[in-house]
Amino acid sequence: YVVYTDLDGTLLDHDNYSYQAALPALERLNESGIPVVPVTSKTRAEIEPLCHELKLNAPFIVENGAAIFIPKVFCTEEACSELPQVDGYRVKSFAPAIDFWNALVVELEKALSGAFVAMNQMSAQQLADMTSLSLPAAERALKREYSNPLQWLGSDEQLQTLSDICAQKGVQVVKGGRFVHLLKNSDKGAALVWLNNYLSEFLEVSDLESIALGDGENDIAMQLKADIAVQIRSPAHEFPELEKTSLYRTEKYGPEGWAEAITKILNSSPKESK
Ligand code: 2M8
Ligand code: MG
Ligand code: MG
């Protein structure tokens, strides 16, 4: 197995961002040598300290599938030589870089003035206030490389207008826990497929099974592509609609639901490190 997991509302509590309840299940995965891959709308600057705290050394997927950061230990010369090097990683990117997004938002402002506040227009303090992130965490969230999420203030009708304008530019609109996210040439599903192929070659396992856990609408793309999908119960919204045979919906919320699902899957699996 490889575990692909959303962070906010999934591995991390929607309200206080704690992962405490998931720790025993995470430990069990670590012991079984099952890689845990964050797949999130968060930035690299937000994910790195978390990976460090949780001792995750696997690749991770940033900003809603925009790019995959592959640490050196997961690289071979053969597999990675074509990928650009950034700090200690090789990077496979799908989405346009941040300048594209900042320019797009300026244009959207003209048609939908007042309907949203883009993250790059917020101070760290403002972002901290609206999300209950700590101030340093909000600073890391503002270090965006591939996306500029929108705090939505407008009507549903204006959201439809946003979708229509964006569609003409090949940009897709999806909802996260608190923000509206814009995607182009990427989603969590495409990133999962690319990385699972990469890892099955790297680990030399031909039938590497993927488990995708998430709470939001922006997780559906990866849940559709995964072998096993887990929808984590959210205190903020209903389960997003998802049709799939191998779907498990948790009883518990956030990281408790995460542990519930992982425990259930591992207990019912004949071979833990499949
Ligand atoms: C944003 O993402 C969440 C994910 O569901 C949201 O849309 O509410 C991100 O852009 C992330 O960088 C940030 O940490 C988070 C804070 O709640 O919001
Ligand atoms: Mg989420
Ligand atoms: Mg997310």
Side-chain angles (χ1 to χ4, degrees), residues 88-166:
Y89 309 95
R90 295 284 184 155
V91 182
K92 170 68 188 173
S93 60
F94 301 90
I98 191 65
D99 291 351
F100 169 87
W101 296 107
N102 293 346
L104 176 63
V105 160
V106 171
E107 209 179 304
L108 292 172
E109 264 290 332
K110 291 178 193 151
L112 288 159
S113 173
F116 62 83
V117 182
M119 224 189 243
N120 74 333
Q121 296 159 341
M122 294 180 192
S123 67
Q125 189 59 60
Q126 279 172 306
L127 182 61
D129 290 343
M130 80 153 284
T131 57
S132 66
L133 289 172
S134 69
L135 191 57
E139 278 162 3
R140 293 193 288 271
L142 288 177
K143 293 192 174 155
R144 312 214 65 95
E145 298 177 287
Y146 302 98
S147 65
N148 187 5
L150 311 179
Q151 177 190 9
W152 194 255
L153 305 171
S155 63
D156 287 354
E157 207 182 355
Q158 283 174 306
L159 192 58
Q160 189 54 52
T161 308
L162 177 82
S163 291
D164 295 343
I165 299 173
C166 285

Side-chain angles (χ1 to χ4, degrees), residues 8 17 41-43 46 119 131 133 141 144 149 176-179 181 218:
D8 291 345
Y17 303 98
S41 45
K42 289 183 181 295
T43 62
E46 294 179 277
M119 224 189 243
T131 57
L133 289 172
R144 312 214 65 95
R178 293 184 177 79
F179 292 88
H181 298 268
N218 58 341

Side-chain angles (χ1 to χ4, degrees), residues 44 48 60 68-72 83-93 145-146:
R44 165 157 68 113
E48 280 173 333
F60 54 83
I68 306 171
F69 284 77
I70 309 171
K72 283 231 171 80
L83 300 176
Q85 247 171 299
V86 178
D87 301 328
Y89 309 95
R90 295 284 184 155
V91 182
K92 170 68 188 173
S93 60
E145 298 177 287
Y146 302 98

Side-chain angles (χ1 to χ4, degrees), residues 6-8 10 39-42 64 176-177 181 188 215 218-219:
D6 174 47
L7 296 178
D8 291 345
T10 299
V39 187
T40 171
S41 45
K42 289 183 181 295
N64 267 316
H181 298 268
K188 289 185 176 192
D215 68 314
N218 58 341
D219 298 309

Side-chain angles (χ1 to χ4, degrees), residues 2 49-50 80 94 118-119 145 197 215 223:
V2 176
L50 189 77
C80 286
F94 301 90
M119 224 189 243
E145 298 177 287
N197 285 334
D215 68 314
Q223 287 164 329

